[in-house]
């Protein structure tokens, strides 16, 4: 459906969506940290706000741009030839710019320095494995949801990220644009800039693994009338 909208409007939708997503992640983290010294309670507040905002943003902006808000999601759709290769760099740029603007907006709302270098350490094998897992799950949920319940994708993604905040050691960034934006905040949701490359590589790997498995498991290339004829009966 997004193909009917000019590229300029799709890019604004991607930038706006990523801006509001990051403003929610960073802003709710700041608010939670101000209201409680309980880290678990602060993470819960951060989680619920993020999951809820994803449902809203995908629902209202999905028909315009596809509601990727995530460079690896755009990469996957480009590899599936559902987003033109010429549009991919512009999508990624819009997402990164929007994410940084979201961090600036969150800081402005809480009267903090607009840009900061985070000092929160997020590195090591467990963190990278968490990001591979989180991004794999996100992309697989998106592709499966589109295949079987396109009307429910917004809720599926929001619920998945809500869960992934808690079952991954990294709290499920699963998004290079969001990771870049979060490296510019020394608040609850931050990540050191030096830790960014490991996260980005893990996220790309997770997305590619999901793309490969989904292509096989969901049998996307087959005629729906022959789906049951793939393997012989036992």
């Amino acid at each position: 459906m997004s193909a009917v909208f000019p590229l300029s409007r799709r890019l604004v939708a991607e930038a706006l969506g990523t801006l509001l997503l990051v403003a929610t992640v960073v802003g709710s983290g700041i608010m939670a940290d101000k209201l409680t010294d309980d880290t678990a309670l602060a993470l819960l507040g951060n989680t619920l706000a993020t999951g809820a905002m994803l449902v809203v943003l995908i629902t209202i902006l999905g028909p315009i741009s596809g509601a990727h808000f995530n460079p690896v999601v755009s990469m996957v759709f480009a590899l599936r030839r559902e987003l033109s290769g010429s549009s991919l760099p512009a999508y990624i740029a819009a997402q990164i710019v929007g994410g940084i603007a979201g961090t600036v907006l969150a800081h402005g709302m809480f009267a903090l320095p607009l840009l900061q270098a985070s000092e929160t350490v997020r590195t090591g094998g467990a963190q990278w494995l968490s990001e591979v897992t989180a991004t794999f799950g996100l992309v697989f949920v998106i592709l499966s949801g589109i295949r079987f319940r396109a009307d429910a994708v917004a809720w599926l993604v929001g619920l998945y990220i809500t869960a992934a905040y808690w079952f991954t050691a990294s709290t499920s960034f699963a998004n290079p644009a969001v990771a870049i934006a979060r490296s510019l905040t020394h608040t609850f949701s931050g990540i050191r800039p030096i830790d960014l490359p490991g996260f980005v590589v893990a996220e790309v790997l997770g997305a590619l693994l999901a793309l490969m498995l989904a292509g096989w498991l969901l049998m996307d290339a087959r005629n729906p009338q022959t789906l049951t004829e793939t393997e012989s009966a036992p």
Side-chain angles (χ1 to χ4, degrees):
M1 186 178 296
S2 60
V4 303
F5 285 85
L7 179 61
S8 59
R9 287 169 173 77
R10 287 185 278 145
L11 294 180
V12 169
E14 285 296 302
L16 175 62
T18 315
L19 182 157
L20 291 174
L21 174 60
V22 171
T24 300
V25 173
V26 175
S28 65
I30 296 170
M31 177 66 83
D33 207 27
K34 284 178 173 288
L35 294 177
T36 180
D37 293 326
D38 186 328
T39 303
L41 187 58
L43 181 61
L44 180 61
N46 195 207
T47 302
L48 295 176
T50 303
M53 181 58 79
L54 277 168
V55 174
V56 172
L57 293 175
I58 295 171
T59 299
I60 63 174
L61 296 177
I64 300 174
S65 68
H68 300 176
F69 316 140
N70 186 333
V72 296
V73 172
S74 297
M75 175 192 73
V76 164
F77 280 102
L79 290 172
R80 286 166 57 92
R81 298 183 181 179
E82 296 175 19
L83 175 69
S84 70
S86 61
S87 298
L88 179 60
Y91 261 60
I92 292 174
Q95 292 155 359
I96 292 173
V97 170
I100 293 171
T103 294
V104 172
L105 175 60
H107 288 166
M109 289 191 291
F110 287 92
L112 297 175
L114 297 184
L115 289 177
Q116 314 161 17
S118 175
E119 297 175 15
T120 303
V121 178
R122 298 181 190 266
T123 189
Q127 292 283 309
W128 300 331
L129 178 60
S130 294
E131 281 303 292
V132 171
T133 303
T135 313
F136 171 89
L138 172 63
V139 172
F140 191 78
V141 164
I142 292 170
L143 296 179
S144 300
I146 290 171
R147 181 76 160 77
F148 299 120
R149 283 293 306 273
D151 61 319
V153 168
W155 284 98
L156 293 172
V157 171
L159 289 171
Y160 173 79
I161 291 297
T162 298
Y165 255 79
W166 287 86
F167 79 76
T168 63
S170 63
T171 65
S172 183
F173 282 44
N175 185 331
V178 169
I180 291 169
R182 289 171 65 168
S183 74
L184 300 174
T185 181
H186 185 46
T187 61
F188 183 81
S189 60
I191 174 176
R192 291 188 308 178
I194 196 173
D195 296 334
L196 276 177
F199 266 53
V200 172
V201 169
E203 289 156 0
V204 170
L205 177 58
L208 292 175
L209 289 173
L211 174 63
M212 289 187 290
L213 179 61
W216 174 78
L217 187 61
L218 304 179
M219 297 187 286
D220 285 337
R222 295 188 60 83
N223 186 320
Q225 295 179 344
T226 65
L227 289 180
T228 59
E229 300 173 8
T230 302
E231 299 177 8
S232 58

